Amino acid sequence: MSDSPLDQVTAIKIDVEGYDKIALEQILDTLPDHSQLEMVAFEYDPAVANLWNTIKRARSLGFEVYLLQGTYDLQHYVLQHDLGPLARLNAPPTEFSDVLFLREPMGVSA
């Protein structure tokens, strides 16, 4: 294991106002170096070109992809580990949506 503090990261919440795709790509590019990562939460913007392709790439790296019901908050989701109801995301959302990448499925609704 490396001495990098990033090797200890298990969850990331992205809130970068329109730059989510860039942040997600950087995370996925460095994922082999930081294999402890289990969860990434971000806002899906249907106007961002090729964001769905980034989601498909995350799936190929072992993440399940879910739509979060309602809004998320760092304290609630990351610190309390209470994700509430999740719905598997099988197609690009048509509106702004909160999305979660998880390495292990949790509380999935049909």
Side-chain angles (χ1 to χ4, degrees):
M1 184 175 211
S2 164
D3 292 331
S4 171
L6 292 176
D7 289 336
Q8 304 298 320
V9 173
T10 59
I12 297 173
K13 178 190 179 281
I14 299 172
D15 188 359
V16 290
E17 302 304 322
Y19 294 93
D20 298 77
K21 182 182 183 325
I22 294 168
L24 287 168
E25 289 290 342
Q26 290 295 313
I27 290 167
L28 297 177
D29 286 347
T30 60
L31 189 60
D33 297 326
H34 309 296
S35 61
Q36 298 295 320
L37 187 62
E38 297 173 2
M39 180 175 78
V40 180
F42 67 97
E43 186 174 65
Y44 183 92
D45 179 352
V48 174
N50 298 317
L51 184 52
W52 187 248
N53 289 336
T54 303
I55 289 174
K56 291 192 288 188
R57 182 174 171 218
R59 281 195 174 117
S60 75
L61 294 170
F63 286 96
E64 295 292 336
V65 182
Y66 301 97
L67 186 66
L68 288 170
Q69 308 298 313
T71 60
Y72 57 90
D73 148 285
L74 183 63
Q75 175 74 25
H76 183 76
Y77 290 106
V78 176
L79 300 179
Q80 295 181 14
H81 304 284
D82 179 9
L83 300 174
L86 299 175
R88 192 174 307 273
L89 189 57
N90 296 314
T94 57
E95 57 189 30
F96 280 95
S97 303
D98 297 328
V99 174
L100 183 70
F101 293 170
L102 282 179
R103 288 264 180 141
E104 299 207 9
M106 305 169 70
V108 180
S109 64

